[in-house]
Amino acid sequence: MSEAKNILLENAKLIEAELDKKYTDESSITGRLYEAQRYSLLAGGKRIRPTLVIETCKMFGGDVNAAIPFAMAIEMIHTYSLIHDDLPCMDNDDLRRGKPTNHKVFGEAIAVLAGDGLLTDAFLECAMNPYVSGDCAAVAVSILSAAAGSYGMVRGQAIDMYGEKNELTPEELIELHMGKTGALICASVQLGALAAGISPDDQKMRDVTTFAEQIGLAFQAIDDVLDATSTSDAIGKSVGSDKEKNKTTFMNFFTPEQAIACAEQYTNSAIEAISAYDNSERLINIAKFLCERDK
């Protein structure tokens, strides 16, 4: 696990150095907006998704410089989703990464605008990647749009909200997680492969997508266990909220031990999908870390 933590730390430093260049305008009129965006964008976290972009690119022998704009775009969309998920009209959370949520600090209106800006700016980041061709950038934008939009992450969030008032079936729960959590994780490895010159219809792209789908489910299973069994101090966000909001989670169908066993099965399937590739060890280490994490 220490190796995976080192990989995540290495990539976090790389991506945060680039993110720190964003939204530095101190205009008295719009400065509050940019301050809110930086507040959440630079709030820490494991940087799992941008790490997946970079490490997938590396595994296929690509130029890391080509992966960085895509990694930034992924993290910008992830951050937007957290800001909006925490709003009172959504999950109504007060704590994120050990700090007050964006709307608690800046108010709901600025939090909405901060998320809107991050979402939109992410597509510009992809489109303007100077290290890839225009055709490649266009494909990247389409991948990101599909993952973030009405048939990806947003769809998953809508199912999640539906599940607060209606009990989901196990199949519907998987559909929820494939959208809300899995879509952006899949886009991360797909953009990393794209940055390395892998075409969307290549078997390599299909294999890393399978890897991402499986680690996404493992990640969510562990997340559900932690929400039910951990503490806010330990994981840096509110716990027990899933049960309080009557959400359907892995805990509706499994004990914590059974859910962890499911996560291990998903992780093994993920590893199997990429283990034949040279230089897959770093991604495999990350997959194992996500299954074994305690926060």
Side-chain angles (χ1 to χ4, degrees):
M1 187 179 288
S2 59
E3 178 61 26
K5 287 182 178 179
N6 289 337
I7 293 168
L8 288 165
L9 182 60
E10 171 190 328
N11 286 297
K13 288 179 179 178
L14 181 63
I15 200 68
E16 284 168 8
E18 295 301 317
L19 292 173
D20 191 42
K21 300 173 185 176
K22 306 290 293 184
Y23 309 114
T24 57
D25 187 340
E26 296 180 356
S27 164
S28 59
I29 298 175
T30 55
R32 189 73 170 162
L33 167 64
Y34 304 137
E35 184 183 354
Q37 289 172 312
R38 289 178 63 83
Y39 176 83
S40 293
L41 197 59
L42 299 172
K46 302 177 193 68
R47 308 298 187 189
I48 292 164
R49 293 155 189 82
T51 291
L52 291 172
V53 179
I54 293 167
E55 292 301 329
T56 303
C57 180
K58 284 181 179 179
M59 184 177 75
F60 289 131
D63 179 1
V64 171
N65 287 320
I68 289 175
F70 293 161
M72 290 177 65
I74 285 284
E75 190 66 6
M76 290 161 73
I77 288 188
H78 178 54
T79 301
Y80 125 77
S81 74
L82 300 182
I83 294 173
H84 281 197
D85 281 359
D86 291 338
L87 288 168
C89 62
M90 300 286 276
D91 287 348
N92 193 25
D93 279 322
D94 297 337
L95 195 67
R96 173 69 68 178
R97 292 171 174 168
K99 299 170 63 176
T101 47
N102 197 288
H103 69 274
K104 285 292 181 180
V105 178
F106 298 95
E108 290 181 43
I110 287 293
V112 169
L113 292 174
D116 290 345
L118 287 165
L119 169 64
T120 310
D121 294 344
F123 297 108
L124 180 63
E125 202 70 40
C126 268
M128 299 298 290
N129 187 338
Y131 297 98
V132 301
S133 69
D135 287 345
C136 179
V139 173
V141 169
S142 70
I143 288 172
L144 199 57
S145 299
S150 300
Y151 296 93
M153 188 170 63
V154 171
R155 175 183 172 83
Q157 179 67 19
I159 297 172
D160 189 35
M161 294 178 68
Y162 173 84
E164 292 181 6
K165 297 181 180 178
N166 305 272
E167 185 170 348
L168 303 177
T169 65
E171 293 76 18
E172 288 168 337
L173 180 66
I174 296 301
E175 185 180 359
L176 184 167
H177 292 321
M178 292 287 281
K180 185 176 179 181
T181 303
L184 205 59
I185 289 176
C186 285
S188 299
V189 300
Q190 289 165 352
L191 292 180
L194 195 67
I198 306 300
S199 65
D201 59 355
D202 193 298
Q203 182 61 44
K204 294 176 181 177
M205 186 71 79
R206 290 191 285 273
D207 288 341
V208 292
T209 299
T210 298
F211 167 81
E213 288 172 348
Q214 296 300 303
I215 66 168
L217 289 171
F219 180 94
Q220 192 59 56
I222 296 299
D223 228 38
D224 289 352
V225 170
L226 292 175
D227 186 81
T229 63
S230 191
T231 66
S232 296
D233 288 342
I235 65 175
K237 62 180 181 179
S238 303
V239 297
S241 58
D242 289 340
K243 184 175 182 180
E244 181 182 325
K245 294 164 188 169
N246 201 36
K247 288 181 180 287
T248 305
T249 74
F250 277 90
M251 296 297 94
N252 288 67
F253 307 106
F254 302 109
T255 65
E257 293 77 17
Q258 290 170 334
I260 291 169
C262 281
E264 290 171 348
Q265 290 177 2
Y266 291 135
T267 300
N268 290 336
S269 296
I271 292 169
E272 184 178 350
I274 64 165
S275 60
Y277 291 107
D278 292 338
N279 305 313
S280 61
E281 295 85 1
R282 287 166 70 92
L283 281 177
I284 289 172
N285 280 331
I286 291 168
K288 291 178 179 177
F289 167 78
L290 295 180
C291 185
E292 297 167 2
R293 67 196 173 93
D294 56 7
K295 61 180 178 179

